[in-house]
Amino acid sequence: MILLCRLALATLLLAPRLLAAQERGATALGEAVAGLDVTARVLLVGAHPDDEDTQLLTWLARGRQVETGYLSLTRGDGGQNLIGNELGPLLGMIRTEELLAARRLDGGRQFFTRAYDFGFSKSAEETYTHWPRDSVLRDMVTVVRAFRPQVIVAVFSGTPRDGHGHHQVSGILAREVFDAAADTVRFPRSTTLGLGPWSPAKFYRAARFAPQEATVAFNVGELSALRGQSYAEIASESRSQHLSQGFGSLQRRGTSMDYLKLEASRVGTPAARERSPLDSLATGWNRFGAATLPAASRGALDSLDAAIAAVRRVEDLTAPWTMVTPLARVAGLLDRARAGLPCPHTGYAAGCFGVNGDLALSLETAQRRAQAALLSAAGVLVEATAPRELLAVHDTMPVTVTVYNQGRGDVRLEGASVWMMDAIGPGVSGEATTVPPDSAARLTLPLQTNRASVSWWMERGLQSGADLFNMPPFGWPQTANIAIGEDRVSETHTRVALRIAGESFIADAGPVVYRYADPARGERRRPVASVLPVSLLFEDEVEYARTGVTINRDFTLSVRSSSSAPRGVTVELSLPAGLTTDSLVRRVALPPFGGATLVYHVRGRLPAGRHFVNAVATSNGERSVAGWLPITYEHIRPLRYYRIARVQIEAVDAALPRDPTIAYIRGVGDNVAPMLHQLGIGVTLLTPELLATADLSRYGAVVVGPRAFAASPLLTALAPRLQDYARRGGTVVVQYGQAEIQAPGVLPYPVTLARTAERVTDENAPVTVLDPRSPLLASPNRITPADFADWVQERATYMPTSADPRYQRLLEMHDPGEPANANAVLVAPLGKGAFVYTTLALFRQLPAGKPGPARIFLNLLAANGKSGAPVQPVP
């Protein structure tokens, strides 16, 4: 019995953390009131989700109530995953959510461009071969014109000292967008969602690593009296949300300095040493004297400072009801001031230009703060709940909007609205009712949708020939998401019309949620999402088969209904020539919200090449060709990855080692084991705990997954057992590690990695055979140049710079213009067996179904020389 878990795209099914409801209490109230007259905005620019300066972000957003955004050029799709097996676009989804979880803690906003993280890059020049420069810059211009920051801060220098080519490009383009956002010749309004030019006032670069160059220094270790933590502590908690990258960290206490360097300014010559990046900038309502407004709106705007001062005169966070009437007046003034501007409430003030656009955004920010403060002071909680988590397209579900009045005065509920997907929804409706203190009122509204909740940036895939996501067609609501900001893109929306202390206003009440009780964790909340009425999902997206060997394999297809009514479903399977099954057409009857599992036993042979198995479902006259895979982790909101109901079969001309049984110890982001199983290898998954007592003599080889030693101290302690197994005649194959691989005893002989480890990031880099007579290149498969064709993302990663001479070296490879490196495959003969350490990016190639890397991996499993095949020189 093969002990093989399905690893490809498997997920850790944990109950998600309780979704934050409406922020309430003294902290939320105090911060909202403090920000009522702060109109400044600051935008940080980096390359990846974990590049942001969370200390600066927190110090500004939580400490100074500055609207502070982080623009990440990518979603981190090309990185590695320490918490699961998701890589590529799935990892990009996870890292997007990790950023949003971080922003909920540090108070920042979140933006992205459409650039796809294609993996490590060594220079800006290489990066530009993947990212069309003007396309990425245009996205950045769109964000700057939408967010309208007074200050831009580049996380990186834009020079080779940044290391990663993505970092360099983010630093270069951050400086360029400082000027380009105002250039309507290079970037006409029509190319940036109709947004007009914007000129930020100041441009800084982070100087954390060069404080001697800084022009401003500030203590992020300062204590927030409202939160009882320093901004550095909050920032540490925020940064710890990047769990997929292993960034969980201790919270820093005490003095902690952060530094910035001013590089450009449009507000005169600033002081040599500033106290804040906002020095020399007006940040209050008095800076909008030049705005063009009707008299009523101008009067409201000019009255704001006095009204806010009235709130602060009675501010008492232990008796917040005393603040209700002055807060209601501020909310009313903000509404009347905003009503005088012609641009709709889109979230990015399209249609308002110059100072009026700046004012529109500042008023909308203040409206959110004033409404949040008013609800908190009045003891009002609004929530929208649904009876289930998933809503099928074209189905309807009742949503209950509840207004709880826990304050001291009456509240008037004048209507509500709920809708899915789009930023702008229907007007409020429902019978008005008064909600006395210590009571609640409810409205029940229908929720409908005409499309599934798909990650908007992935709906149309990548551009041909570029690592850039396609923008949705002009006019589609999703087109605006790049400007709205990812933190305000939601699958569902709720708005309520309320009247408090004589002022009527419409408040955003957040997403619709499904509440349920987990016996072990208490109340759980999941955001409601829309899904396909019928979904189809094969277990795997990519599988291997061997040519000349009869396939005798089960394909499992999950058919799931999310409809509230019974459905009859007809499923049609299509197979490539050479394969047959017992029944290509099957019919199933699904109850409401039910599912079925169809198992197709497929037989036959395939010629070398790529082939596809496809499934189509028909129900109620509608066709479905896709399904969704849940991605659920404790620290982020639930995700759903949609994929076509198709299995790609890569038929490979490959022979197996004489003993095709292995023990496999999984590593980080590791989907290799099931691919080896499909090739005919008998795979037993061993944990480090099982390795301690397992009878390894049963296996022809033991394989250690990528970065497994970093993930398990126990495995490091058991490294001598692996080497002893090799000495007794076995083969050990260890896939790449990082610094941990240099620890004494992990490998049989020492290796050394440079501080910035060497990589071959060009997946097409030439490969030179160093030992043509090596059995590893000839048996059981004869390795040829064709086996190094069509790789993905990279050739090798974290390569040793030097290695003990007792290792045999097989291959040399390097990126153009860099020194030769012969350490991608190191073979150490040990006793009767062999120990192989390889930094070839096989963990990326095998899950992608690449034929050459599969043949190479099979040869590594026969490194002890027991394949039995004759050795002939490799050309």
Side-chain angles (χ1 to χ4, degrees):
M1 181 74 177
I2 296 172
L3 303 176
L4 179 64
C5 296
R6 293 290 180 180
L7 301 178
L9 301 175
T11 60
L12 183 63
L13 296 177
L14 298 173
R17 177 181 297 172
L18 184 68
L19 280 176
Q22 172 187 318
E23 280 200 87
R24 308 172 74 199
T27 299
L29 176 57
E31 288 185 346
V33 169
L36 289 176
D37 55 0
V38 179
T39 66
R41 290 179 295 277
V42 175
L43 183 67
L44 282 65
V45 180
H48 306 111
D50 53 15
D51 291 340
E52 86 275 50
D53 184 345
T54 50
Q55 294 191 339
L56 173 60
L57 241 164
T58 308
W59 185 79
L60 287 169
R62 294 295 187 195
R64 304 300 183 270
Q65 281 67 54
V66 173
E67 188 87 333
T68 309
Y70 174 51
L71 170 57
S72 177
L73 300 194
T74 77
R75 297 172 187 267
D77 328 73
Q80 295 157 16
N81 185 358
L82 290 179
I83 60 175
N85 297 328
E86 300 89 355
L87 296 173
L90 286 87
L91 180 57
M93 294 171 66
I94 291 171
R95 296 187 70 183
T96 295
E97 279 297 322
E98 289 180 333
L99 264 183
L100 296 179
R103 296 296 82 83
R104 288 191 286 272
L105 292 169
D106 59 38
R109 301 285 317 282
Q110 185 58 53
F111 299 91
F112 294 96
T113 74
R114 292 171 296 133
Y116 178 75
D117 181 354
F118 57 86
F120 188 81
S121 171
K122 294 181 177 177
S123 68
E125 292 72 24
E126 179 191 6
T127 300
Y128 287 135
T129 66
H130 292 264
W131 297 346
R133 179 171 183 151
D134 268 16
S135 296
V136 175
L137 182 58
R138 183 175 68 246
D139 287 355
M140 298 174 71
V141 168
T142 301
V143 170
V144 170
R145 289 179 178 178
F147 188 58
R148 299 173 176 89
Q150 282 72 44
V151 176
I152 292 178
V153 178
V155 174
F156 295 104
S157 69
T159 67
R161 79 180 186 191
D162 296 329
H164 203 315
H166 299 181
H167 295 169
Q168 296 177 45
V169 166
S170 76
I172 293 168
L173 294 186
R175 179 62 183 87
E176 195 167 341
V177 78
F178 179 74
D179 296 320
D183 188 345
T184 55
V185 174
R186 185 176 180 187
F187 296 103
R189 285 172 44 198
S190 60
T191 66
T192 60
L193 301 176
L195 292 161
W198 180 253
S199 294
K202 300 167 80 173
F203 177 82
Y204 290 86
R205 290 196 192 275
R208 284 174 294 169
F209 303 111
Q212 71 280 0
E213 300 177 6
T215 59
V216 56
F218 42 93
N219 178 22
V220 294
E222 175 188 345
L223 181 70
S224 165
L226 287 170
R227 293 187 173 265
Q229 293 176 288
S230 72
Y231 301 113
E233 288 177 281
I234 300 168
S236 295
E237 188 178 357
S238 167
R239 190 152 181 79
S240 292
Q241 301 309 301
H242 297 290
L243 295 184
S244 68
Q245 305 307 295
F247 279 5
S249 64
L250 294 173
Q251 295 182 15
R252 298 184 61 181
R253 296 182 175 89
T255 299
S256 180
M257 301 301 294
D258 205 350
Y259 304 90
L260 298 175
K261 177 185 178 182
L262 179 65
E263 289 198 356
S265 175
R266 296 189 171 101
V267 289
T269 304
R273 297 290 293 186
E274 300 175 291
R275 293 174 299 174
S276 162
L278 300 176
D279 282 3
S280 307
L281 298 177
T283 62
W285 294 112
N286 58 358
R287 70 186 184 89
F288 295 109
T292 304
L293 292 169
S297 296
R298 168 54 65 184
L301 180 63
D302 291 344
S303 300
L304 274 176
D305 283 331
I308 293 168
V311 171
R312 291 175 179 159
R313 279 196 296 271
V314 298
E315 183 173 358
D316 185 345
L317 301 183
T318 65
W321 53 86
T322 61
M323 305 165 63
V324 170
T325 297
L327 278 170
R329 173 165 166 72
V330 171
L333 290 172
L334 289 166
D335 285 354
R336 288 189 282 280
R338 181 64 178 85
L341 294 168
C343 44
H345 287 259
T346 57
Y348 55 97
C352 286
F353 307 108
V355 66
N356 276 20
D358 184 4
L359 175 59
L361 281 192
S362 297
L363 286 169
E364 289 178 13
T365 297
Q367 283 177 303
R368 283 188 291 272
R369 291 171 174 173
Q371 290 171 6
L374 180 54
L375 292 176
S376 186
V380 174
L381 172 66
V382 183
E383 69 175 7
T385 57
R388 60 182 186 272
E389 179 184 358
L390 302 179
L391 174 64
V393 172
H394 304 313
D395 216 340
T396 302
M397 178 166 63
V399 171
T400 302
V401 179
T402 305
V403 176
Y404 298 93
N405 183 0
Q406 298 169 304
R408 298 194 174 192
D410 288 350
V411 173
R412 185 78 170 166
L413 171 59
E414 299 180 331
S417 60
V418 295
W419 73 97
M420 297 205 73
M421 310 296 281
D422 302 342
I424 300 176
V428 298
S429 62
E431 185 176 349
T433 183
T434 298
V435 190
D438 297 320
S439 66
R442 293 173 176 83
L443 289 174
T444 300
L445 301 170
L447 183 64
Q448 298 174 306
T449 184
N450 59 9
R451 68 178 192 272
S453 304
V454 178
S455 297
W456 69 271
W457 66 92
M458 295 200 299
E459 280 193 87
R460 299 179 62 82
L462 291 171
Q463 291 184 6
S464 176
D467 284 306
L468 194 75
F469 288 106
N470 279 303
M471 183 71 82
F474 183 78
W476 285 30
Q478 303 96 304
T479 307
N481 288 346
I482 197 169
I484 291 171
E486 203 70 34
D487 57 304
R488 293 188 182 157
V489 174
S490 180
E491 293 167 332
T492 58
H493 303 265
T494 307
R495 286 190 181 142
V496 293
L498 298 172
R499 186 173 182 84
I500 300 177
E503 289 287 350
S504 295
F505 60 95
I506 296 178
D508 184 349
V512 179
V513 299
Y514 166 61
R515 297 172 62 200
Y516 66 98
D518 182 319
R521 293 181 173 90
E523 181 175 333
R524 302 281 94 185
R525 301 182 185 207
R526 285 179 176 260
V528 168
S530 57
V531 294
L532 298 173
V534 175
S535 71
L536 300 174
L537 193 72
F538 282 109
E539 281 189 298
D540 300 315
E541 279 189 286
V542 180
E543 294 192 7
Y544 279 124
R546 286 189 296 134
T547 60
V549 177
T550 299
I551 295 173
N552 195 8
R553 185 178 301 177
D554 287 339
F555 286 80
T556 301
L557 179 69
S558 171
V559 185
R560 177 167 37 191
S561 171
S562 297
S563 177
S564 58
R567 278 183 174 263
V569 181
T570 300
V571 180
E572 299 180 62
L573 194 73
S574 63
L575 296 173
L579 297 185
T580 61
T581 189
D582 46 357
S583 175
L584 291 174
V585 180
R586 299 187 186 180
R587 293 173 178 83
V588 293
L590 299 180
F593 316 116
T597 299
L598 305 182
V599 179
Y600 296 87
H601 189 70
V602 175
R603 299 168 298 277
R605 294 191 178 196
L606 291 173
R610 184 165 297 171
H611 311 272
F612 295 96
V613 175
N614 294 284
V616 178
T618 305
S619 178
N620 294 356
E622 298 175 331
R623 284 166 54 89
S624 178
V625 295
W628 51 269
L629 184 77
I631 304 175
T632 312
Y633 289 98
E634 180 74 15
H635 66 303
I636 60 174
R637 297 178 299 185
L639 298 167
R640 291 162 193 86
Y641 173 68
Y642 280 83
R643 69 187 192 201
I644 300 298
R646 169 187 296 166
V647 180
Q648 171 190 318
I649 303 177
E650 195 72 34
V652 182
D653 182 7
L656 302 181
R658 177 179 295 177
D659 185 350
T661 60
I662 67 170
Y664 196 101
I665 303 163
R666 287 175 56 184
V668 170
D670 187 357
N671 296 310
V672 169
M675 310 308 292
L676 294 173
H677 173 57
Q678 293 157 13
L679 288 165
I681 297 295
V683 179
T684 298
L685 291 179
L686 290 184
T687 63
E689 290 76 12
L690 291 175
L691 174 64
T693 57
D695 178 9
L696 299 184
S697 66
R698 298 169 48 202
Y699 307 109
V702 176
V703 179
V704 179
R707 297 183 66 186
F709 287 104
S712 172
L714 176 58
L715 180 61
T716 301
L718 292 172
R721 190 161 198 268
L722 293 174
Q723 295 172 30
D724 183 64
Y725 162 75
R727 290 187 180 92
R728 294 173 182 272
T731 295
V732 176
V733 178
V734 174
Q735 298 172 70
Y736 92 96
Q738 296 182 352
E740 73 281 355
I741 215 71
Q742 301 174 101
V746 171
L747 300 181
Y749 308 122
V751 299
T752 302
L753 276 67
R755 182 174 181 180
T756 300
E758 296 184 24
R759 309 177 185 224
V760 180
T761 60
D762 182 352
E763 64 270 28
N764 299 310
V767 176
T768 301
V769 173
L770 300 177
D771 184 2
R773 293 188 174 275
S774 170
L776 268 72
L777 298 176
S779 177
N781 300 288
R782 187 173 176 80
I783 304 304
T784 71
D787 292 304
F788 295 98
D790 194 33
W791 285 37
V792 295
Q793 188 160 325
E794 56 192 343
R795 283 265 193 239
T797 188
Y798 291 92
M799 303 169 71
T801 302
S802 62
D804 190 283
R806 285 170 286 187
Y807 285 110
Q808 298 173 359
R809 292 155 174 80
L810 304 183
L811 305 170
E812 188 284 317
M813 59 190 71
H814 59 274
D815 278 331
E818 296 198 349
N821 190 310
N823 299 318
V825 179
L826 299 172
V827 183
L830 290 182
K832 299 178 181 178
F835 193 108
V836 179
Y837 178 60
T838 179
T839 58
L840 292 175
L842 300 173
F843 73 102
R844 295 196 189 278
Q845 312 309 320
L846 267 69
K850 298 303 177 182
R855 289 161 44 85
I856 292 169
F857 209 121
L858 293 174
N859 279 25
L860 296 181
L861 299 180
N864 61 5
K866 296 180 181 178
S867 69
V871 177
Q872 298 178 357
V874 173

